[in-house]
Amino acid sequence: TCALPISCSGCALAMTSLNVGNSVIEPGDFVTAVGVEVDPDYGIPILQVRQAAAGDTILGVAASAMSRGDHRENALTQLGYEMMDGVINQNGYVLVAMEGLVQARLPQASTLKPGAFITAAGAATLSIDNSIAQVMSEADAKGLQWILLNR
């Protein structure tokens, strides 16, 4: 038998993505998938996303802006992508959380209370059926609420 000690505290399943939309994406914004491309240098698939609009199916939540390139970490040079502060402009990289705890900018932040469910279209619902997330906190000063994405 094999027992793998797999655990994660405060983790979210997330993928590096590229903002191909015309709008700036801020951390906490809902995004929708547009397509996929393969990074020519790293050979990995990169989701193409844009800020979700009314009626779109939500893929996930923008968790952080990302920078692409070589990054120094102690004595090592890491290739790839690294999280950074800021907004995500068109053709900028974004870390999209698709499952787990993440802070989101909810359209009804003032009325959505912990325990409320959110549908794939970003609407509030009273039922777990067809929901993609559950609200876990009140809104903070920036209008962000912790949600548990459960795609």
Side-chain angles (χ1 to χ4, degrees):
T1 62
C2 176
L4 297 175
I6 299 173
S7 67
C8 182
S9 177
C11 294
L13 173 63
M15 293 191 74
T16 300
S17 305
L18 179 67
N19 179 9
V20 297
N22 295 324
S23 299
V24 170
I25 296 173
E26 294 185 55
D29 287 348
F30 286 102
V31 299
T32 190
V34 175
V36 67
E37 70 176 26
V38 176
D39 184 295
D41 298 321
Y42 303 129
I44 59 173
I46 302 294
L47 284 172
Q48 295 174 325
V49 300
R50 65 174 170 74
Q51 188 179 50
D56 285 341
T57 297
I58 293 170
L59 170 69
V61 177
S64 174
M66 303 281 289
S67 64
R68 181 185 181 281
D70 300 346
H71 305 282
R72 295 279 302 161
E73 189 173 306
N74 299 322
L76 300 174
T77 298
Q78 303 287 330
L79 303 177
Y81 301 87
E82 184 174 64
M83 291 191 310
M84 62 183 213
D85 291 333
V87 298
I88 303 94
N89 294 311
Q90 185 178 27
N91 296 316
Y93 292 93
V94 55
L95 186 65
V96 176
M98 293 177 284
E99 188 171 310
L101 284 169
V102 64
Q103 285 189 296
R105 190 176 326 284
L106 302 177
Q108 312 90 343
S110 62
T111 60
L112 287 178
K113 302 297 181 201
F117 294 100
I118 304 164
T119 68
T125 180
L126 297 177
S127 170
I128 195 168
D129 297 336
N130 300 319
S131 73
I132 62 159
Q134 187 172 16
V135 177
M136 304 305 290
S137 74
E138 300 283 342
D140 66 13
K142 296 179 185 176
L144 298 173
Q145 288 178 269
W146 285 101
I147 64 171
L148 180 60
L149 285 169
N150 56 3
R151 300 203 53 94

